């Protein structure tokens, strides 16, 4: 019985590790959202992109904005988009 419990634990632990997403930071220039098509993808989902200073991120999240992530499903990585000066790309609902 103990061997089965150990086997189940190892299996669940491996599945949990597989399902976890890594988070990275992607350094871009100011016009990257436009020429990469990222802004267009946000617009399709009813959102707009805006840059925010790091100290404002938590307040903006509280007001309904979200940090915009570039998602790589194959590698299970989500990348936070930032500028060299620290501005963070946020998304907010249109309107």
């Amino acid at each position: 019985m103990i061997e089965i419990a150990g086997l189940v634990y190892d299996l669940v632990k491996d599945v949990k590790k597989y399902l976890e997403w890594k988070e990275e930071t992607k350094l871009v220039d100011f016009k990257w959202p436009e020429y990469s098509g990222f802004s267009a993808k946000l617009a399709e989902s009813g959102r707009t992109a805006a840059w925010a200073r790091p100290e404002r991120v938590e307040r903006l999240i509280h007001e309904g904005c979200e940090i915009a992530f570039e998602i790589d499903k194959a590698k299970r990585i989500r990348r936070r988009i930032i500028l060299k000066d620290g501005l963070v790309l946020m998304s907010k609902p249109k309107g």
Side-chain angles (χ1 to χ4, degrees):
M1 184 67 173
I2 293 176
E3 294 87 16
I4 294 173
L7 181 63
V8 169
Y9 173 78
D10 287 340
L11 180 64
V12 169
K13 184 174 71 171
D14 291 340
V15 168
K16 180 183 179 279
K17 186 176 179 180
Y18 172 75
L19 293 176
E20 289 178 347
W21 285 70
K22 294 179 189 173
E23 189 169 309
E24 296 178 352
T25 300
K26 183 172 186 167
L27 185 63
V28 299
D29 68 3
F30 191 76
K31 294 186 179 186
W32 179 86
E34 293 301 322
Y35 69 76
S36 68
F38 195 79
S39 289
K41 289 179 186 175
L42 286 175
E44 289 174 5
S45 63
R47 302 187 70 82
T48 59
W51 295 104
R53 295 235 168 257
E55 64 270 13
R56 293 185 62 216
V57 169
E58 289 303 317
R59 182 175 61 84
L60 292 171
I61 289 172
H62 183 70
E63 293 175 359
C65 296
E66 297 175 349
I67 295 174
F69 288 97
E70 179 185 52
I71 304 295
D72 183 341
K73 289 182 182 179
K75 295 181 182 177
R76 302 189 68 77
I77 298 173
R78 64 185 200 159
R79 294 179 184 93
R80 177 180 299 169
I81 312 300
I82 64 165
L83 297 178
K84 183 178 179 180
D85 66 357
L87 292 176
V88 178
L89 188 63
M90 305 284 291
S91 71
K92 59 183 179 179
K94 287 183 180 179

